[in-house]
Amino acid sequence: MNNRLLLLSGLIGVAVALSACGRADGQKAVSQVAAKVNGGEITVHQISSVIAGNQIPSEQAKQAAAQTLERIIDQELLVQKALKDKLDRDPQVMQSIEDAKRQILARAYLERAAAGSSTQSWEEIRKFYQENPALFERRRIYRVHELVVVAPREKLDALKAATAGEKSLQDVTAWLKSQKLVFQVAMSNRPAEQIPLEILPQVSEMREGQIAVIPTPRGASVVQLLQAQEASLSEQQATPIIEQYLQGRKRLAVAQAEVRRLREQARIEYVGEFAAPRAQPASSSVDDRDESIKKGLAGLR
């Protein structure tokens, strides 16, 4: 049901956009209309917007435009049928649309607030490169065998003791089963930028075959390093990556500061079961994103 509501809310949202774009200007030039579906207009601007959002290479733009138009036509048909069936009046669909609208408006405001904070100096880039050798100058690609363990905090010391001196994860697996702890086994190749920044220095110092226990919010990750392949990046190669990361970090800092400022100026009243005394203000969705800074360069834009 939730997936259906998300689809329908997206379709209704598109219907509103199509209606606004297709009928706002009665004198719209025919050249701006790419297709008509039961009288509803699909514009060139809509197609261009989708292509720009997907970052399609210029040499593929013509083919991508034709494919995008067909997808929008399919979408328009579904939207028209949804509107005919009055799904836009369904309370759950209406709530989903309102939720999406709030997210879009909040993100648009934060993006505008952070628009002037994206410039990085050469000194900032060089400093970040020099302070993170495991990401760049001594960057490696790590092949790891991992046990993702769900465990309470009080079990972590026992888990570390159980892994001490072990030469493989098989014995650790046996101990986890004896403790009735839930875990998953994974094998992966991870470049340095896909490892959280707070543990990357520890991982970069591991020897092949060594096992480490890394705490996680839900328990721990027991990692055995199988192989580490050198894959260094020069300062020149790393510059666009660092620029992207620093831009994301600055924009996040601006967003957090703006939310704090708005909270300080606002009158916020907690009602009902939420009215109990609070030691500190409730964290906002922007504050929750703070942890993303620590997850390496790959997750930041």
Side-chain angles (χ1 to χ4, degrees):
M1 180 61 179
N2 289 336
N3 289 337
R4 185 174 74 87
L5 289 177
L6 288 174
L7 172 62
L8 290 176
S9 65
L11 295 178
I12 302 300
V14 171
V16 174
L18 290 176
S19 177
C21 293
R23 301 173 181 84
D25 182 1
Q27 302 301 319
K28 184 185 301 177
V30 176
S31 60
Q32 293 302 308
V33 178
K36 294 184 179 182
V37 182
N38 297 325
E41 294 179 351
I42 297 174
T43 68
V44 173
H45 175 73
Q46 290 171 251
I47 298 171
S48 300
S49 178
V50 173
I51 292 176
N54 291 333
Q55 298 180 337
I56 303 295
S58 57
E59 63 272 14
Q60 300 176 13
K62 186 174 181 180
Q63 179 182 359
Q67 294 172 344
T68 299
L69 175 59
E70 295 305 319
R71 288 198 298 270
I72 296 177
I73 289 173
D74 292 343
Q75 194 175 52
E76 171 65 5
L77 289 168
L78 292 170
V79 169
Q80 291 181 9
K81 189 63 171 67
L83 291 173
K84 184 177 180 180
D85 291 347
K86 296 182 171 55
L87 291 177
D88 56 326
R89 301 181 188 179
D90 182 287
Q92 290 181 288
V93 173
M94 293 174 67
Q95 185 60 55
S96 296
I97 294 172
E98 184 61 28
D99 291 344
K101 178 181 175 181
R102 288 167 59 84
Q103 291 180 27
I104 292 169
L105 286 172
R107 184 172 60 187
Y109 177 77
L110 289 176
E111 287 179 352
R112 188 178 70 174
S117 63
S118 58
T119 303
Q120 292 79 45
S121 68
W122 179 252
E123 290 76 15
E124 288 178 299
I125 294 171
R126 170 160 289 185
K127 183 173 182 290
F128 190 85
Y129 180 87
Q130 294 174 344
E131 289 179 347
N132 294 275
L135 273 175
F136 306 115
E137 190 176 8
R138 292 192 286 109
R139 174 179 178 267
R140 297 194 290 177
I141 298 174
Y142 303 91
R143 179 167 176 77
V144 297
H145 188 188
E146 182 178 12
L147 302 178
V148 182
V149 184
V150 179
R153 286 289 174 185
E154 57 267 22
K155 284 282 189 180
L156 291 188
D157 288 340
L159 177 57
K160 290 178 181 179
T163 61
E166 298 294 352
K167 295 185 178 180
S168 75
L169 293 188
Q170 291 182 348
D171 293 332
V172 181
T173 298
W175 182 85
L176 291 172
K177 290 179 178 178
S178 72
Q179 298 295 308
K180 295 182 171 54
L181 293 175
V182 177
F183 65 93
Q184 293 182 330
V185 182
M187 193 86 69
S188 61
N189 291 318
R190 297 187 189 177
E193 62 269 22
Q194 290 183 10
I195 296 175
L197 284 177
E198 69 269 22
I199 67 169
L200 180 58
Q202 177 185 354
V203 174
S204 69
E205 297 299 327
M206 290 178 65
R207 303 180 304 277
E208 292 187 0
Q210 185 177 352
I211 298 174
V213 178
I214 301 169
T216 66
R218 298 184 60 200
S221 180
V222 183
V223 177
Q224 182 173 35
L225 178 62
L226 302 179
Q227 185 182 37
Q229 179 182 352
E230 297 294 334
S232 63
L233 292 176
S234 67
E235 188 171 340
Q236 182 178 3
Q237 291 172 317
T239 292
I241 303 173
I242 297 174
E243 286 179 326
Q244 187 179 47
Y245 172 76
L246 293 179
Q247 177 181 346
R249 188 166 68 176
K250 286 184 178 180
R251 292 170 72 89
L252 177 57
V254 170
Q256 290 174 320
E258 183 63 12
V259 169
R260 284 193 295 268
R261 183 183 71 82
L262 293 173
R263 276 182 165 269
E264 290 169 358
Q265 295 178 352
R267 180 183 176 186
I268 302 174
E269 299 179 42
Y270 295 97
V271 182
E273 64 179 301
F274 300 101
R278 294 165 180 265
Q280 35 183 289
S283 61
S284 68
S285 59
V286 175
D287 291 328
D288 292 338
R289 290 171 53 200
D290 190 35
E291 287 302 310
S292 67
I293 288 181
K294 301 176 182 178
K295 292 184 178 179
L297 301 179
L300 292 171
R301 290 188 285 276

